[in-house]
Amino acid sequence: MDTITTAAPNNALRERMLQDMTMRSFGEHTQKDYIRHVRSFAAFLGRPPDTATIEDLRRYQIAQHERAISPATINGAVSALRFLFGITLKRPEMALGLVVVRCTPKLREVLSVEEAARLIEAAPGIKYKAAFGVAYGAGLRVSEIAHLKVDDIDSTRMLIRVEQGKGRKDRNAMLSPHLLDLLRQWWREGKRRGVMLPHGWLFPGRSCTDPISARQLHRAVHEAAEFAGIRKRVSPHTLRHSFATHLLEQDVDIRVIQVLLGHTKIGTTAIYTKVSTRTMQAVASPLDRIFSLMEGPKRTASPPG
């Protein structure tokens, strides 16, 4: 009798992998991504992934390149499969043939101060205006904005508590007086609507017991950008990029910006120096130096005759 195989990881293997990731404090999004990549590999294989060979992994990566899969997706699959075989299945030799693709980092899209003001002003309602204000005024990630609670706003110390941000790290973000005023406007409106629960979400979703979704925030930003006539490709994360870039242009120390953004490595924060206009403007072009040298003698030369 033929054995029927499945194209998805079996439940026992999936649960074991989830347990291994939980023990290592992997975030919810990372866990979902890893399971998704393993499921994709199993679908390619046509049988449970724990029966794979090194040659199967090689064929899978070749197929990914032939399908023009993005480097980020390929590298995500490499990380997931390395974890599956190296940690969960205790077969580290399987991961030796997996190849990481070099990614060329793209220049980040940044709004000007005037564009950021127009985008926030064009927000579809006070809730989204306050959420945009948190993204641009405090530099929070989309997921961090969505999971803010009312009690996370510390108006006494003028701080925003970010609990279990990226990498499951807690940190404090800045709270400016104008941002506090904007949040209070939304809090009063939310109370009037009956959606602002005591100790509840600062930005409730369609149900006041659930937080706003990242998809809702993305849609609101796109709607506001269109209304404001901004032609750049923007997302909620664009406001975070703009926050960091504008601080850098105000000569704020890059290490301070690193802490505010919650970056583990200074190199991640240094990416913003590539889009800072003031950083470029502070450098004298060699062409300007040549022209200054050429013009110098002209000023001191005596007129003929």
Side-chain angles (χ1 to χ4, degrees):
M1 183 175 177
D2 294 334
T3 301
I4 299 175
T5 59
T6 176
N10 59 60
N11 288 336
L13 178 59
R14 180 179 181 276
E15 288 305 312
R16 185 177 179 83
M17 186 174 175
L18 285 170
Q19 289 169 359
D20 289 336
M21 289 190 286
T22 300
M23 285 191 294
R24 287 159 179 80
S25 299
F26 280 26
E28 181 183 350
H29 292 295
T30 302
Q31 293 190 29
K32 287 182 178 178
D33 284 344
Y34 275 30
I35 294 297
R36 176 171 53 82
H37 283 302
V38 172
R39 186 180 291 116
S40 177
F41 174 63
F44 168 83
L45 202 60
R47 60 181 195 275
D50 52 353
T51 65
T53 64
I54 291 178
E55 183 59 26
D56 289 328
L57 290 174
R58 182 175 183 276
R59 288 192 305 108
Y60 181 58
Q61 286 210 287
I62 290 173
Q64 284 183 312
H65 283 277
E66 289 175 345
R67 290 163 51 205
I69 300 297
S70 70
T73 302
I74 292 175
N75 291 342
V78 168
S79 298
L81 294 172
R82 280 178 176 174
F83 187 90
L84 170 68
F85 289 105
I87 303 299
T88 301
L89 295 176
K90 302 294 188 289
R91 295 170 60 191
E93 74 284 353
M94 287 287 292
L96 295 176
L98 291 168
V99 180
V100 173
V101 181
R102 170 177 279 184
C103 293
T104 303
K106 295 181 179 179
L107 200 62
R108 307 196 180 210
E109 194 76 79
V110 171
L111 300 174
S112 67
V113 174
E114 187 267 341
E115 286 173 329
R118 281 163 47 204
L119 184 71
I120 294 171
E121 191 60 33
I126 184 60
K127 177 169 80 169
Y128 290 106
K129 189 173 184 180
F132 294 1
V134 173
Y136 179 68
L140 268 61
R141 300 177 178 91
V142 179
S143 59
E144 294 169 345
I145 296 169
H147 289 89
L148 282 176
K149 299 280 188 68
V150 174
D151 295 339
D152 291 331
I153 307 303
D154 187 343
S155 58
T156 302
R157 300 172 62 207
M158 294 302 287
L159 295 172
I160 299 175
R161 289 188 296 272
V162 180
E163 295 185 355
Q164 299 294 285
K166 188 174 182 180
R168 294 201 169 186
K169 293 181 296 184
D170 296 344
R171 75 177 193 281
N172 289 322
M174 63 188 293
L175 175 63
S176 72
H178 286 293
L179 178 55
L180 177 60
D181 180 63
L182 193 57
L183 290 172
R184 281 175 170 165
Q185 289 179 43
W186 158 237
W187 183 83
R188 287 191 292 268
E189 177 61 19
K191 290 284 285 184
R192 188 188 67 80
R193 295 182 194 173
V195 299
M196 195 70 72
L197 301 179
H199 315 295
W201 302 110
L202 182 60
F203 300 110
R206 291 185 174 88
S207 168
C208 58
T209 57
D210 297 321
I212 193 171
S213 68
R215 181 176 294 181
Q216 286 175 280
L217 288 170
H218 276 271
R219 285 176 178 172
V221 167
H222 293 156
E223 182 181 332
E226 184 175 355
F227 185 81
I230 297 171
R231 299 290 175 253
K232 295 176 179 177
R233 294 181 60 184
V234 297
S235 70
H237 224 63
T238 306
L239 289 167
R240 173 175 159 88
H241 296 328
S242 302
F243 163 82
T245 304
H246 295 166
L247 284 183
L248 195 64
E249 291 176 347
Q250 294 170 28
D251 297 324
V252 175
D253 191 291
I254 194 169
R255 293 175 185 82
V256 175
I257 299 173
Q258 177 190 1
V259 172
L260 292 174
L261 291 174
H263 286 162
T264 303
K265 299 178 181 178
I266 191 69
T268 307
T269 316
I271 292 172
Y272 294 102
T273 61
K274 297 180 181 179
V275 291
S276 169
T277 55
R278 181 168 294 185
T279 301
M280 291 184 283
Q281 291 169 357
V283 180
S285 167
L287 181 64
D288 290 340
R289 296 186 63 188
I290 289 175
F291 270 86
S292 66
L293 290 172
M294 293 169 62
E295 291 172 357
K298 290 180 182 178
R299 294 194 192 99
T300 56
S302 300

